[in-house]
Amino acid sequence: MFTLRVATLAILAFATAPLARSQAPPSVHLDNATFIGNASGVVTQFLGIPFALPPVGDLRLRLPQPNAPYVGVFNASAFGPACIQQPAQVPLPAGLSPSTVQFFEGRSGDPPVVDSENCLTIHVLKPANATESAKLPVLVWIYGGGFETGAADFHTDGSVIVERSIQLGQPLVYVSLNYRLSALGFLGGVEAKKAGVGNLGLQDQRLALRWVQKYIHAFGGDPSKVTIWGESAGAISVALQLVTNGGNSEGLFRGAFMQSGSTQSIGPIADGQRYYDALVANVSCAAANDTLQCLREAPIDKLRTAINASPGMFAFQSMDLAWQPRVDGVFLTDDPQKLVLQDSVAKVPFVSGDCDDEGTLFSLTNANLTTDDEVRAYIASIYFQGAPSADIDAILALYPNDTTQGSPFDTGTLNAVTPQFKRLAALQGDYGFQAPRRFFLQQRTGKQPAFSFLNKRGKSMPDLGAFHSSDVGLIYGPSDMTDYLIRFAVHLDPNVGASADPSASLFWPPYTTASPQLLTFLDGAVPLNITLDTYRAEGMATLTRVSLANPWGAPPA
């Protein structure tokens, strides 16, 4: 196993005494407090600002509570700790190319993550010369990590985005936030439902967006011009923020940008009961009269050990996560895809796109499946529990054991790590990412402006191709993808202002059902093209139909 570690997060201790200053560092006034930040070239940073009361003690496993008005002087010069999370262990099966193994091993040198329960902090990066009256557009980043890992500064430098926005003459304010993860953020089971504490990580995000509305003007941002943006679990979070509350955005955002994540078909919070019961047992709370309160009172080290004993996002069950958003009756009143069908969607312009080979990374976890029968048993018990045999047959027929049709796509017989690897990668990538994206776009076009993209850059990566999350490095590069993001955040249209760009830019057509066009990012001499979102149409339609009837997250048979 290779352990994928989150980049080091500096520990921030909030000071209530004035800071010694040799040169006057940047500061901002919020309520009756002064926050002292960093000057970094053309960007000013204010980091680690608490947006909620620390979710510790009796506030553990409860809805986030807003801060009292700020008072005093705060050091806002470093990121705070990440939220408690599980190690993400990526298996490296035999048969991987040496360069792929080297790629993963090269990332294993990251220092261990520094995490804490006291982690609900927000970070604001702004043009250094932006005054309070600037009223700049605001871009809010929500990180990914399978709802079990991640942090606001995990391999993402928001200064890059702000600097590029200044270069384009379209300056904006960049915001990132931490939200609770794993069992502390996405507890399942009937006990969580009865207590109304499901989807706490999503509730954390919502509270952070309310903080932006209240305070972003002090940083030169316009609270009426907020775009929420995320990748993977962050993109799924963005999609769930769109469908919660009957589609009423409460004015918290006016646009959404989603990379590799959309509304997925997920089941009720009771489906997570087995993980709740195991957690309670491992913390020695099974005999307690109130097991949830016992979890609140348990030593954090003991609770962390119990969380780490649960399946992580690279466990054999792959994308069927132990800790994930579920229908709790509060934040999510129904299966998210059914909410889409009910028109419970915030009617804001949005972008939704994927990488070409979304499923390769997640198919390393089940590379020991080598026969047709094993693959059939796996998807029937993990993803489509309770589905009729005819539906399983239909899916397998549409995703055959043919390496030339598998993922990495368009690589012929290459990259067949195991006899079933490319088949599983195609099926899982479409199931988890491509099909939900297409469903959302098909349901929403004509109702709100929509754009979609496909990232095919990095196809030469052995075994993985243009794999899940490979576009994060592009957008934080920066690259032409960065420019489209910035223009969308500023204008709600990625084409507006393109003439001011020093580099060439291809017109990105809106997505419609009549003309489902994708801005496609490519390697080689022609970096951009327009393609049609019609590939694997029957396969994705079948996956959507079966998943709506059998939402994931249900206990295996």
Side-chain angles (χ1 to χ4, degrees), residues 60 84-85 115-117 184 279 282-284 294-309:
R60 178 192 289 170
I84 300 290
Q85 53 199 268
D115 62 5
S116 168
E117 282 193 273
L184 294 175
L279 185 74
N282 287 336
V283 182
S284 303
C294 185
L295 291 178
R296 291 192 180 106
E297 297 170 358
I300 187 57
D301 289 345
K302 192 171 185 179
L303 187 55
R304 181 199 296 274
T305 299
I307 290 171
N308 290 347

Side-chain angles (χ1 to χ4, degrees), residues 247-260:
N248 181 1
S249 71
E250 304 174 73
L252 297 176
F253 50 85
R254 66 165 188 169
F257 198 105
M258 294 166 277
Q259 295 175 244
S260 301

Side-chain angles (χ1 to χ4, degrees), residues 9 59-60 75 98 106 207 209 220 255 263 274 279 287 302 318 344 363 393 399 420 455 468 486-487:
L9 300 171
L59 291 184
R60 178 192 289 170
N75 180 347
L207 183 59
L209 292 174
T263 49
R274 68 189 189 275
L279 185 74
K302 192 171 185 179
S318 193
S344 174
S363 298
D393 291 339
Y399 291 87
Q420 298 279 346
N455 175 49
H468 179 77
I486 291 169
R487 292 196 297 265

